[in-house]
Amino acid sequence: MLGFAMGLGIKPFTQGLHELANGGYAWLQPDGGWGWSNAGLIVDGDVSLVADTLFDKRLTSDMLAAMKNAEYAATHSFNFLVNTHANGDHCNGNELVHGAEIIASQACLEELSAENPEMMHKLMQAAPGMGEVGEFFLHCFSAFDFEGINRTLPSRTFSGALDLLVGDKPVHLRQVGPAHTKGDVLVYVPGDKTMFTGDILFIEGHPILWAGPVSNWIDACDYMLALELETIVPGHGPITDHRGVKALQGYLIYVRDEAKKRFDAGMSVMDATLDINLIDYDSWGDAERIVINVATLYKEFANDPEPNNTTELFALMAQLHKDRRH
Ligand SMILES: [Zn+2]
């Protein structure tokens, strides 16, 4: 309901499969916070494309069962699976989409190849003994089951753009990353005026600038705003339209500019994070992510090519999250 209140959601944000007015389906997972990702289904005749799987096998198998129930002819065997990017909440269920050609950007494949869901399982087992950061991991991820996930990598990759036909329906894959991650891809169905954005859009939650540069992400928003789109399914949060894209772009520009002032003034990442006024984004979830965004922006401003240290960033987020609860 918050989506309506904020004017960024155009459909009720309820768990499960939503048939889209102009074709296709969205699978939504409120509240859209850490790990609660959305996915999509595009069908034409007896051909189907799944846009992203979910964080664990149980969630993914529930989703696939609902899709088969809604569109049996197209989904008794899936034809295509697109991974919009390499985060586990968009690809940990890949092994369950039997028969599908798995497509992603080359950069996404490289990022996925460097990770293993088993690491997440071990981390969660260790979390209770890890103090503040362990508590934060449990807060974010304890609802998910990372045991026994067989990493299943994309079998077909591209860089830049790839046009597919799902039945007779054109589907355009457009790489806009590195931005949120190294290889973000948008799944665009021009005939339906529909797009599945992966985590290039978070609605009602703070986005995460894991990779940057932020300019690519701002440009991706311009690209979406120039298209005739009626239905935009974000990676997290309620279904939206151009208003959701504008809100996200506004956030990125604001945080970039505010972080730059503080970088120029010599403030530390944490001091800048605490100093930036986020009153306009009060209703957006997972506010601790601001520290990742500031840290990545600082690296950009300093021309520092070293990737972020994820462990350090989780420690900073844990600290912020704890401070904000007290
Ligand atoms: Zn995600």
Side-chain angles (χ1 to χ4, degrees), residues 82-97:
V82 174
N83 289 135
T84 58
H85 64 290
N87 288 160
D89 54 333
H90 300 263
C91 43
N92 274 356
N94 279 5
E95 65 187 286
L96 299 178
V97 189

Side-chain angles (χ1 to χ4, degrees), residues 32-38 52 85 87-90 180 198-199 202 208 235-236 289:
W34 287 104
W36 295 108
S37 51
N38 299 328
D52 281 339
H85 64 290
N87 288 160
D89 54 333
H90 300 263
H180 165 66
D199 287 359
F202 288 76
I208 312 175
H236 296 258
R289 292 169 177 168

Side-chain angles (χ1 to χ4, degrees), residues 244-306:
V245 181
K246 282 196 185 115
L248 191 281
Q249 190 183 42
Y251 173 98
L252 294 174
I253 291 169
Y254 173 73
V255 171
R256 177 198 64 189
D257 293 349
E258 293 298 309
K260 182 67 165 65
K261 285 184 219 162
R262 289 159 180 83
F263 173 83
D264 290 343
M267 286 173 84
S268 71
V269 166
M270 198 49 153
D271 285 348
T273 295
L274 294 170
D275 195 48
I276 293 174
N277 185 342
L278 290 173
I279 192 79
D280 288 350
Y281 301 98
D282 235 15
S283 64
W284 290 22
D286 304 316
E288 64 276 2
R289 292 169 177 168
I290 182 72
V291 75
I292 309 179
N293 299 336
V294 173
T296 304
L297 287 164
Y298 265 47
K299 282 187 176 292
E300 273 186 55
F301 300 147
N303 289 317
D304 176 355
E306 274 294 298

Side-chain angles (χ1 to χ4, degrees), residues 15-307:
Q15 201 275 339
L17 196 64
H18 295 249
E19 187 168 6
L20 306 174
N22 33 4
Y25 295 82
W27 180 263
L28 304 182
Q29 295 197 99
D31 63 355
W34 287 104
W36 295 108
S37 51
N38 299 328
L41 175 67
I42 299 163
V43 295
D44 190 61
D46 59 0
V47 182
S48 61
L49 179 152
V50 177
D52 281 339
T53 56
L54 305 176
F55 217 176
D56 70 22
K57 293 207 282 190
R58 179 183 57 83
L59 293 171
T60 303
S61 101
D62 287 353
M63 173 179 83
L64 296 174
M67 288 174 171
K68 282 176 186 283
N69 201 30
E71 290 283 349
Y72 181 74
T75 61
H76 67 275
S77 161
F78 293 98
N79 301 85
F80 304 103
L81 164 62
V82 174
N83 289 135
T84 58
H85 64 290
N87 288 160
D89 54 333
H90 300 263
C91 43
N92 274 356
N94 279 5
E95 65 187 286
L96 299 178
V97 189
H98 303 296
E101 180 173 48
I102 307 179
I103 305 173
S105 68
Q106 178 63 26
C108 171
L109 173 64
E110 284 161 17
E111 210 170 4
L112 269 176
S113 303
E115 290 174 13
N116 197 321
E118 182 59 23
M119 281 158 44
M120 196 66 178
H121 179 50
K122 288 199 175 121
L123 188 63
M124 293 308 289
Q125 284 180 316
M130 288 169 64
E132 190 174 276
V133 74
E135 262 177 55
F136 182 65
F137 278 131
L138 291 168
H139 157 77
C140 294
F141 304 124
S142 64
F144 308 102
D145 179 6
F146 301 108
E147 195 172 1
I149 292 172
N150 298 302
R151 187 180 66 176
T152 305
L153 296 173
S155 48
R156 178 179 178 186
T157 62
F158 69 99
S159 294
L162 178 66
D163 292 340
L164 298 171
L165 273 179
V166 175
D168 293 326
K169 189 178 281 202
V171 174
H172 297 171
L173 307 184
R174 292 291 178 268
Q175 183 178 353
V176 293
H180 165 66
T181 62
K182 289 180 183 157
D184 309 287
V185 164
L186 303 172
V187 180
Y188 172 40
V189 193
D192 294 345
K193 300 186 174 66
T194 295
M195 182 179 275
F196 301 88
T197 70
D199 287 359
I200 286 298
L201 268 196
F202 288 76
I203 300 298
E204 309 296 347
H206 284 248
I208 312 175
L209 187 67
W210 287 121
V214 71
S215 56
N216 279 355
W217 202 335
I218 292 167
D219 291 349
C221 293
D222 280 333
Y223 171 71
M224 291 188 271
L225 290 170
L227 298 173
E228 201 182 333
L229 288 168
E230 288 174 359
T231 304
I232 304 178
V233 180
H236 296 258
I239 294 172
T240 190
D241 54 22
H242 277 163
R243 289 170 296 173
V245 181
K246 282 196 185 115
L248 191 281
Q249 190 183 42
Y251 173 98
L252 294 174
I253 291 169
Y254 173 73
V255 171
R256 177 198 64 189
D257 293 349
E258 293 298 309
K260 182 67 165 65
K261 285 184 219 162
R262 289 159 180 83
F263 173 83
D264 290 343
M267 286 173 84
S268 71
V269 166
M270 198 49 153
D271 285 348
T273 295
L274 294 170
D275 195 48
I276 293 174
N277 185 342
L278 290 173
I279 192 79
D280 288 350
Y281 301 98
D282 235 15
S283 64
W284 290 22
D286 304 316
E288 64 276 2
R289 292 169 177 168
I290 182 72
V291 75
I292 309 179
N293 299 336
V294 173
T296 304
L297 287 164
Y298 265 47
K299 282 187 176 292
E300 273 186 55
F301 300 147
N303 289 317
D304 176 355
E306 274 294 298

